[in-house]
Amino acid sequence: MLNSNSAALVACPTCQTKTPWTKENIDRPFCSARCKLIDLGAWASESYSIPQQTSEEDEIFSADLVIDPNKSFL
């Protein structure tokens, strides 16, 4: 257990610097606003993604999808 005087230290997701998890650290779990913005930029540029595996079914059914240029989806 943690003492009431000590705070849990967590690794910043961007730079891995150990930073306290306290109410005073407004950037938690990041160590600074700079690291928070770096992470936001990575999300915005789609650097974080889950790889998708394609299957034969995807290829079979994608041939059925015909795009009508005269039809609007908005």
Side-chain angles (χ1 to χ4, degrees), residues 38-54:
I38 290 170
D39 187 70
L40 178 61
W43 277 104
S45 67
E46 299 181 359
S47 294
Y48 299 135
S49 64
I50 299 172
Q52 182 178 356
Q53 295 179 348
T54 57

Side-chain angles (χ1 to χ4, degrees), residues 11-40:
C12 173
T14 304
C15 69
Q16 304 304 314
T17 300
K18 297 290 184 185
T19 184
W21 186 273
T22 62
K23 290 181 182 180
E24 289 79 27
N25 180 6
I26 59 172
D27 298 312
R28 68 179 184 257
F30 301 96
C31 65
S32 65
R34 178 180 179 270
C35 282
K36 191 188 290 188
L37 286 174
I38 290 170
D39 187 70
L40 178 61

